[in-house]
């Protein structure tokens, strides 16, 4: 049911007059919303016990949050650039 509603939302968004970059951003946000609860349920306790607490103890809370933010930003920029380049490449090949 959860994935079906996700699919219907994507289908509804794809029928709007948004350009492909905006549609990609919406799909990424929806995928994040779908994946976070599953990740917290499946990995949360072990991740807090062994991953996050050890990382914060090693580098400190401020650097940990800052690095987490920058990794997310660079990942997002990489995906956006790749998506735009793949659209341009596809358009020139047709």
């Amino acid at each position: 049911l959860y994935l079906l509603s996700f699919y219907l939302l994507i289908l509804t968004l794809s029928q709007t007059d948004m350009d492909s970059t905006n549609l990609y951003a919406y799909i990424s946000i929806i995928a994040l919303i779908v994946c976070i609860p599953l990740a917290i349920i499946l990995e949360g306790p072990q991740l807090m016990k062994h991953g996050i607490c050890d990382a914060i103890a090693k580098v400190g809370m401020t650097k940990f949050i800052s690095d987490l933010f920058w990794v997310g930003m660079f990942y997002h920029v990489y995906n956006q650039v790749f998506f735009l380049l793949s659209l341009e490449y596809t358009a020139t090949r047709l």
Side-chain angles (χ1 to χ4, degrees):
L1 184 63
Y2 191 58
L3 292 176
L4 179 62
S5 61
F6 174 67
Y7 173 74
L8 291 175
L9 184 59
I10 297 289
L11 188 62
T12 304
L13 286 174
S14 66
Q15 294 174 353
T16 62
D17 59 348
M18 289 190 295
D19 66 343
S20 58
T21 305
N22 287 339
L23 183 61
Y24 175 75
Y26 277 110
I27 291 172
S28 296
I29 291 168
I30 293 167
L32 180 71
I33 291 169
V34 168
C35 290
I36 283 192
L38 294 173
I40 290 173
I41 290 168
L42 297 175
E43 301 287 339
Q46 292 289 31
L47 184 63
M48 284 302 293
K49 183 178 178 185
H50 298 293
I52 294 176
C53 292
D54 292 345
I56 291 172
K58 186 174 183 178
V59 297
M61 178 64 90
T62 305
K63 177 142 177 57
F64 177 74
I65 297 295
S66 171
D67 289 350
L68 196 60
F69 171 78
W70 286 113
V71 164
M73 289 302 294
F74 286 129
Y75 181 75
H76 173 72
V77 168
Y78 167 78
N79 281 333
Q80 284 288 86
V81 169
F82 180 76
F83 182 74
L84 291 173
L85 288 176
S86 67
L87 283 177
E88 187 174 316
Y89 177 76
T90 305
T92 60
R93 299 284 291 178
L94 296 177

